[in-house]
Amino acid sequence: MENNKSDRKIAVLTISLTCSVALNFGLGIISHSNANKAADAIDQIMIAEEKVSDVRQELASLKEVKQVEEAK
């Protein structure tokens, strides 16, 4: 009788441990995937910031040219 209780406890603990490992593995995969997506998003933001900076510089140049033409 005592062996049956011990065997059940061992079986429940084994199943719990297996589920925990599987869950942690799954969460690790999801976390890694999200980290990759975040890194890609940061790269895209940096590229967009560079393009905005280029456009601002071009706009400043055009304003200078316009001011010079208006001064003539």
Side-chain angles (χ1 to χ4, degrees):
M1 189 69 133
E2 195 63 36
N3 282 341
N4 284 344
K5 288 183 180 180
S6 294
D7 289 346
R8 285 182 190 161
K9 286 181 182 179
I10 291 171
V12 168
L13 291 174
T14 302
I15 291 169
S16 297
L17 179 60
T18 303
C19 290
S20 176
V21 168
L23 180 63
N24 283 330
F25 181 74
L27 291 175
I29 290 173
I30 291 169
S31 177
H32 183 71
S33 174
N34 287 342
N36 285 342
K37 289 177 184 176
D40 290 343
I42 289 171
D43 288 343
Q44 291 299 319
I45 289 170
M46 292 176 69
I47 291 169
E49 286 177 347
E50 289 175 10
K51 289 180 180 181
V52 167
S53 178
D54 292 345
V55 169
R56 285 183 179 158
Q57 288 176 352
E58 183 66 26
L59 182 59
S61 295
L62 291 172
K63 284 182 180 178
E64 287 177 16
V65 169
K66 184 179 178 183
Q67 288 174 352
V68 168
E69 288 178 358
E70 288 175 352
K72 288 181 180 180

